[in-house]
Amino acid sequence: MFRDSGHLIRPAVVLLLGLGIFLAIRAAVVPKGFGKYGHYRPQALALIRSKPISFAGQDMCLMCHDDQGKARAAGKHAHVACEACHGPLADHANDPAAHKPVLPDVANLCRRCHEKDAAKPKGFPQVVTAEHSGGVLCNGCHQPHNPHL
Amino acid sequence: MIPGVDGFMYPNEVELQWSLLIVLYPYITGLVAGAFILASLERVFKVDAVRPTYRLALLTALSFLLVAPLPLQLHLGHPERSFEMYLTPHTASAMAMFGFVYLWYLTVVLLLEIWLEFRAEIVYLAQTTKGLRRVIYRALTLGSMNVSPEARRLDDKVGYIVTVIGIPSAFMLHGYVGFIFGSIKANPWWSTPLMPIVFLFSAMVSGIAAVLLLYVASMKVKKMAVDMRCVDTIAKYLFYTFCIDFTLEMLDLVHRTYESDESFRSLDFMVHTRLFFSQVVLQIFLGTLVPLCLLAANQLWRFTEKARRAMYVTACSLTMIGIFAMRWNVVIGGQLFSKSFLGYTTYKMAFATREGLLPAIALMLLPFAIFFVLVYLLPPWQEPEHVSAPAGD
């Protein structure tokens, strides 16, 4: 009986061999501990942590710029973080004298959020900038930290 | 205004993300599933009349299966990354799980069944050919030259079991492709639980039609007589499957029309304008109604052999075009309208780009090249009666 069924073992051996090679490759190339915290390699956390920090975080900004913070808290931009408009400023926070931040380019900054677009919610303040101010910069009329006129 | 856009589109809807290659993917996978299910008719359901196409159907399924993932890999770029799907599979991803369904179907079902079916032929050729062919056949024997009647009986028995396992596997392979589209709840053109079953039956239709065409073409090339009993039986099964497929598609259409949810007006407008040619003319009229009438006529009346052959070839060619149009309408049609239901975009097909018409044509020709090689290596035309005496294991 086995004499006539022996050939059937061969494809099974080939399959198992393929599976074995696959498992060996998998063991060799999949990073150690993959999936421990989620669908990623745990080493990625240390790698990300080792990268230089770019953003200071607004708590840090408010330690020195409390007046601007108060103006912002009273207006519509209360929930917009400082660095959303001013850019990442960890270097400035670490050494204010050596790293002076550049003021935002108002002509382009405001329209990023407030340019009229039918896809935006109706209640969101939006204007056609080309028609709205006749070339006058936004901060000519609006105070950026509390933009209400 | 953006050229090609009418009305309002959200910014991410203007350009289509899924191109012609994604149309090819369900089309090719469908041919695999359909061809295999036709092969199973003979093996499991004992429809002896289709025996002449059994081996041909298996080789057709393998030729298309080997090409099935290529459109996806070309679409995504970085084909080497697809291996990651096996190394670190994400169980919540339907696409990742497809990799395993594909591998299961390729190795455990199709390759095994082909090996068992052609083993006697392989052993014979390993003993009678010379040079490189001999090396290939000897490798394909996996070292066993035993083709004794008892060994062949066992092959047949195991082959039967593999086919029985293969039928749900083929259903899973293509049902899954429909599931990928049907489960996208954000898109009303796709989101229906009928999608997997519609895909499955259309796959069977296209696969059966493809095998019939390949069989008739092969007989013509080989200057051999077409077995009309076989072709008549395949056409009969094609007709039955097509009826179910058409019923399911119409059920979906009637349901959508009667339900008339918030997307209906937009989708209805699209079918009457941008999709009119591909959906109404190609898919429904030329690709479904005309072949159905031709096949139905053969069930009602008796035509001459020549007329029947011409009718079948016409019906199957139109069916292939119709099913391709169906895939096109699903994939491309589903991206032409805005989720706001207020606008429509246009699909602009490129030519000699990574996802253009040229690679699509090349990908569609590749299975035929593979088929040619497979048929050369494993001639499916005759039964292995000339196999030598058992040579031991």
Side-chain angles (χ1 to χ4, degrees), chain A:
Chain A
M1 178 64 190
F2 183 74
R3 188 178 169 276
D4 287 320
S5 62
H7 66 282
L8 294 173
I9 308 290
R10 290 161 194 266
V13 170
V14 172
L15 273 176
L16 286 175
L17 204 66
L19 189 67
I21 293 170
F22 167 74
L23 290 175
I25 293 173
R26 191 172 186 274
V29 300
V30 173
K32 212 171 161 53
F34 184 92
K36 192 177 175 188
Y37 304 121
H39 199 73
Y40 58 89
R41 58 202 165 93
Q43 297 88 323
L45 296 175
L47 190 74
I48 295 164
R49 218 178 288 127
S50 71
K51 292 196 170 186
I53 291 172
S54 305
F55 288 89
Q58 59 179 339
D59 290 346
M60 183 71 88
C61 306
L62 295 179
M63 281 169 70
C64 302
H65 303 284
D66 188 38
D67 49 338
Q68 310 289 24
K70 278 182 180 147
R72 191 189 56 166
K76 290 274 189 189
H77 282 169
H79 298 296
V80 180
C82 309
E83 288 164 300
C85 298
H86 291 279
L89 289 169
D91 288 345
H92 169 68
N94 287 336
D95 189 351
H99 299 279
K100 292 276 183 200
V102 181
L103 279 173
D105 170 19
V106 177
N108 287 314
L109 177 72
C110 305
R111 57 189 290 201
R112 268 195 225 158
C113 297
H114 296 288
E115 185 68 57
K116 189 157 180 64
D117 188 331
K120 287 176 186 165
K122 286 202 168 48
F124 186 80
Q126 44 191 315
V127 294
V128 179
T129 45
E131 298 167 1
H132 180 68
S133 64
V136 177
L137 286 177
C138 308
N139 59 354
C141 302
H142 302 274
Q143 205 281 91
H145 293 111
N146 183 354
H148 191 71
L149 283 169

Side-chain angles (χ1 to χ4, degrees), chain A residues 1 3-8 10-11 14-15 22 25-26 29-30 34 39 118-119, chain B residues 10 86-90 115-116 119 142-144 146 148 150-151 154-155 158 393:
Chain A
M1 178 64 190
R3 188 178 169 276
D4 287 320
S5 62
H7 66 282
L8 294 173
R10 290 161 194 266
V14 172
L15 273 176
F22 167 74
I25 293 173
R26 191 172 186 274
V29 300
V30 173
F34 184 92
H39 199 73
Chain B
Y10 290 116
Y86 293 111
L87 295 175
T88 53
H90 203 304
W115 186 73
L116 290 168
R119 221 171 57 77
L142 302 181
S144 170
N146 184 0
S148 65
E150 182 58 24
L154 272 172
D155 285 348
V158 176
D393 206 2

Side-chain angles (χ1 to χ4, degrees), chain B residues 152-328:
Chain B
R152 289 301 290 154
R153 203 186 57 75
L154 272 172
D155 285 348
D156 196 47
K157 213 169 172 177
V158 176
Y160 176 82
I161 296 167
V162 170
T163 315
V164 170
I165 297 169
I167 296 170
S169 304
F171 275 52
M172 203 155 73
L173 183 80
H174 204 67
Y176 144 83
V177 180
F179 174 80
I180 287 279
F181 289 97
S183 61
I184 299 179
K185 63 181 171 191
N187 190 320
W189 187 245
W190 292 337
S191 180
T192 160
L194 271 180
M195 197 61 101
I197 194 103
V198 167
F199 261 60
L200 196 58
F201 274 93
S202 57
M204 285 159 72
V205 168
S206 64
I208 295 172
V211 173
L212 192 147
L213 284 176
L214 275 172
Y215 173 66
V216 174
S218 306
M219 291 298 103
K220 184 121 184 139
V221 172
K222 298 285 291 180
K223 295 190 171 48
M224 287 163 77
V226 172
D227 183 337
M228 280 315 285
R229 187 169 152 257
C230 166
V231 176
D232 285 334
T233 313
I234 295 177
K236 187 175 75 181
Y237 281 101
L238 177 61
F239 175 64
Y240 295 157
T241 321
F242 219 154
C243 284
I244 299 172
D245 179 42
F246 188 53
T247 310
L248 286 169
E249 286 188 36
M250 286 304 106
L251 178 66
D252 184 39
L253 184 75
V254 170
H255 188 260
R256 280 169 190 273
T257 312
Y258 188 72
E259 201 177 48
S260 287
D261 68 5
E262 69 276 13
S263 66
F264 182 72
R265 275 183 59 184
S266 177
L267 301 183
D268 188 48
F269 178 79
M270 188 172 72
V271 170
H272 286 90
T273 52
R274 295 188 182 217
L275 286 187
F276 186 79
F277 180 71
S278 61
Q279 177 119 19
V280 179
V281 179
L282 275 187
Q283 184 188 332
I284 297 177
F285 182 71
L286 282 176
T288 305
L289 292 176
V290 174
L292 263 180
C293 289
L294 288 171
L295 294 169
N298 273 288
Q299 301 305 311
L300 294 171
W301 299 289
R302 202 82 190 144
F303 295 96
T304 62
E305 213 170 88
K306 200 177 167 192
R308 278 189 348 252
R309 212 164 38 224
M311 285 165 91
Y312 293 153
V313 169
T314 312
C316 288
S317 306
L318 287 174
T319 302
M320 298 292 286
I321 296 169
I323 299 292
F324 181 81
M326 182 258 185
R327 311 293 192 226
W328 173 280

